[in-house]
Amino acid sequence: MSFKRPDGRKFDELRPMEAKAGVVKSADGSAMFKIGKTVAFATVRGPREMFPRFMKNPKKGVLRVYYQMMPFSGVGDRIRPGPNRRAKEISMVTENAFAEVIMLEDFPNAVVDVFIDIPQADAGTRCAGICAASIALADAGIPMKEMIAGIAPGRVGDTLLVDLDYAEEAFEDATVADVPMAITSRSGKVSLLQMDGELTQEQLKELIKKTKDACAKINEVQKKALKEKYEVPK
Amino acid sequence: MTESKLLVQDKQIVVPGEELAQGMDYLPSSGSYRDDNSIVSQVMGLVRIDGKVIKIIPLTGKYLPKRNDVIIAQVTDVAYSAWTLNTFSAYNAMLSLKEATSEYIEKGADLTKFYNIGDYIVVKITNVTSQKLIDVTMKGPGLRKLRKGRIFQVNSHKVPRIIGKQGSMVMVVKNHTNTQVTVGQNGVVWVYGEDPKMENLAEKAIKKIEAESHTDGLTDKMEKWLSGEVKK
């Protein structure tokens, strides 16, 4: 018996997406990325002087990511603000996902701060955060080899799905595996892959293939958001 | 070997990672890089094709300090024999006593008498090291402390357009509004006029140039717009 998605989507159908660049006026670059009920805001400040000073890198600039879920973003309980174990981990994997593409050689000793805030969460927040951060970094004029898009595919029972929402991720009648991934826009490299649950080799290969197709779609949304901001009114 | 071909048009907006051209006949310049057989953009900006050279003019981003640029900076700290300046880029600049004035300054004199914290000064960058330590000087024509007037910021990538060819655009603004204008390469603009209304108009005009910097024939357009506004 195959699994039916609670919201009636096809197995490799993404939730409706929306993106906007330049949502925070005081920042050097910013973006909003929305996928289904998950919303992420990314704000970029910098390149600017690095504090604390001992963290400076004299060879190239440093990317520093702060991921945070807002207190009211969950499904009920208040989320304690500030860095916790999970938020620190996600900040780190986001930094590593961008390490492949970001070019900070022109900014030695400086830092680029990226603040990712999740006002509303319905699974896939780290991927939505990466999508938003990618737009925000481009909006801030930070040189990058290419953009990054992220999405969380997974397995519920025997069915492979793309873009799990919370109802699927927390599905209780079958085993669930979810695999947040980030793919670079041009070369199609995997720059983030975390796996929660068990998958066979074939299943993982299949999921990576599906993710690449999904990320191509997300990339179009990102591109459109950026071009909309700077499009010349005729 | 495959044939070279261009995938974008002049003045098209591109995002990082967009393929601009294929083949070895084209050359990457600032804002683009070569990846194997293709040329790819690395910043958000407008494509500028100059013969075989493909360049991206950034639409956003902070000012990158360059040697010989004249900028407007703000004093943030006064040390024993130097001033620290905020250049509105990622890095601070140092103005040493020797480069600040030709006056004789006694040992241990109060340096705030010359430039105090918060003052805006026009300086020229004399050197930028690999570690981005910036040295500036105040010896040169037009390099001075700014008194009166107002300061505002524009996108530093639009500064060449605001100044215009040999200063033609900024001259238009100055002549019509009867104001003094200094545009720093870092995007900081100083405007002063006897008539506050004209000062307002000059600021409005410069922001209009910034917003419409991509359009052709802007100098003539601004001339018309300003003469209309002045009569009001």
Side-chain angles (χ1 to χ4, degrees):
Chain A
M1 193 201 90
S2 73
F3 172 75
K4 264 214 176 97
R5 300 189 86 161
D7 53 1
R9 274 185 290 154
K10 285 184 211 136
F11 292 152
D12 48 8
E13 191 182 338
L14 304 176
R15 289 176 278 176
M17 287 177 281
E18 207 181 297
K20 197 167 188 284
V23 286
V24 182
K25 297 281 177 257
S26 71
D28 294 313
S30 61
M32 183 275 293
F33 186 83
K34 192 162 145 189
I35 181 158
K37 287 183 203 150
T38 301
V39 183
F41 277 85
T43 310
V44 175
R45 291 185 194 274
R48 59 181 180 181
E49 211 183 337
M50 169 65 116
F51 288 108
R53 284 209 183 124
F54 71 86
M55 283 170 78
K56 276 183 182 177
N57 181 348
K59 292 216 169 74
K60 61 173 189 173
V62 177
L63 177 74
R64 193 161 53 176
V65 177
Y66 295 95
Y67 164 98
Q68 193 173 39
M69 275 170 85
M70 291 182 175
F72 47 81
S73 62
V75 283
D77 288 342
R78 174 178 185 269
I79 294 162
R80 225 177 115 116
N84 52 35
R85 191 205 60 78
R86 178 177 172 275
K88 276 184 186 166
E89 177 201 307
I90 295 176
S91 302
M92 188 200 78
V93 296
T94 309
E95 270 169 28
N96 292 349
F98 279 102
E100 171 64 24
V101 295
I102 202 154
M103 304 166 105
L104 293 174
E105 289 77 13
D106 279 346
F107 307 105
N109 290 326
V111 62
V112 176
D113 280 319
V114 181
F115 301 93
I116 298 171
D117 289 280
I118 311 290
Q120 190 172 292
D122 185 29
T125 59
R126 72 192 68 189
C127 297
I130 286 174
C131 292
S134 185
I135 306 173
L137 282 166
D139 182 33
I142 310 287
M144 289 192 284
K145 279 187 201 152
E146 43 198 320
M147 305 264 290
I148 295 186
I151 196 81
R155 172 184 63 82
V156 179
D158 294 328
T159 321
L160 297 181
L161 307 169
V162 177
D163 191 18
L164 298 184
D165 62 19
Y166 186 72
E168 289 160 350
E169 203 183 80
F171 194 68
E172 284 184 350
D173 298 337
T175 57
V176 178
D178 74 308
V179 194
M181 268 191 249
I183 309 278
T184 59
S185 68
R186 209 177 87 78
S187 50
K189 285 182 191 158
V190 178
S191 70
L192 164 80
L193 193 153
Q194 293 182 292
M195 194 159 92
D196 182 10
E198 285 177 4
L199 289 172
T200 64
Q201 251 187 46
E202 285 70 38
Q203 282 173 332
L204 185 60
K205 276 181 191 161
E206 182 65 28
L207 281 184
I208 292 177
K209 220 177 103 197
K210 284 184 176 197
T211 308
K212 282 190 181 172
D213 296 341
C215 282
K217 281 179 205 156
I218 299 173
N219 203 249
E220 288 306 312
V221 176
Q222 289 176 316
K223 248 191 212 174
K224 203 174 137 236
L226 278 169
K227 290 191 178 176
E228 253 167 24
K229 186 185 168 189
Y230 293 100
E231 204 56 66
V232 184
K234 282 190 180 134
Chain B
M1 198 170 140
T2 51
E3 218 176 297
S4 298
K5 66 172 178 206
L6 205 60
L7 301 170
V8 286
Q9 291 168 337
D10 201 31
K11 288 192 176 175
Q12 187 183 322
I13 299 177
V14 290
V15 299
E18 238 178 289
E19 204 163 328
L20 306 174
Q22 278 176 343
M24 300 306 269
D25 283 354
Y26 290 97
L27 292 167
S29 181
S30 69
S32 58
Y33 68 96
R34 174 170 288 287
D35 179 24
D36 245 1
N37 201 32
S38 37
I39 292 173
V40 187
S41 67
Q42 61 181 39
V43 288
M44 175 94 211
L46 292 172
V47 179
R48 187 53 61 83
I49 299 158
D50 187 8
K52 295 278 168 210
V53 180
I54 305 177
K55 183 178 164 186
I56 310 284
I57 299 166
L59 280 165
T60 61
K62 278 203 170 170
Y63 167 68
L64 255 182
K66 262 201 334 277
R67 202 169 160 184
N68 289 335
D69 273 1
V70 174
I71 61 168
I72 297 177
Q74 190 181 25
V75 179
T76 54
D77 197 9
V78 183
Y80 180 72
S81 65
W83 290 266
T84 309
L85 309 175
N86 175 10
T87 57
F88 300 90
S89 73
Y91 306 96
N92 287 330
M94 290 296 274
L95 174 66
S96 75
L97 201 67
K98 200 177 131 206
E99 296 292 347
T101 171
S102 48
E103 264 176 67
Y104 173 70
I105 302 173
E106 228 170 81
K107 210 174 176 184
D110 182 12
L111 294 188
T112 59
K113 271 185 204 155
F114 297 90
Y115 310 116
N116 205 348
I117 292 170
D119 286 349
Y120 284 93
I121 50 179
V122 186
V123 292
K124 187 175 169 182
I125 297 177
T126 49
N127 194 24
V128 182
T129 69
S130 65
Q131 294 306 298
K132 305 279 177 182
L133 296 171
I134 309 169
D135 294 325
V136 294
T137 183
M138 293 211 50
K139 286 178 181 167
L143 306 181
R144 66 198 189 281
K145 178 171 158 180
L146 296 172
R147 295 162 218 270
K148 303 181 195 168
R150 67 177 69 181
I151 297 268
F152 59 93
Q153 263 184 293
V154 296
N155 183 345
S156 67
H157 300 290
K158 306 259 167 96
V159 166
R161 195 69 168 127
I162 291 167
I163 292 171
K165 274 187 192 134
Q166 272 133 30
S168 58
M169 185 75 87
V170 82
M171 276 312 279
V172 168
V173 178
K174 276 185 194 170
N175 291 344
H176 278 88
T177 59
N178 201 16
T179 51
Q180 297 174 44
V181 181
T182 302
V183 186
Q185 289 293 331
N186 58 346
V188 182
V189 185
W190 172 80
V191 178
Y192 170 68
E194 296 282 341
D195 183 356
K197 269 188 194 155
M198 284 297 139
E199 205 176 283
N200 262 338
L201 182 60
E203 179 177 349
K204 225 168 127 187
I206 288 166
K207 290 206 166 142
K208 193 173 159 71
I209 298 167
E210 186 197 5
E212 296 176 21
S213 62
H214 48 270
T215 48
D216 293 325
L218 192 55
T219 317
D220 297 338
K221 203 176 146 194
M222 285 310 295
E223 193 129 28
K224 241 186 201 165
W225 182 82
L226 272 166
S227 40
E229 288 288 310
V230 168
K231 274 177 206 150
K232 271 183 197 169

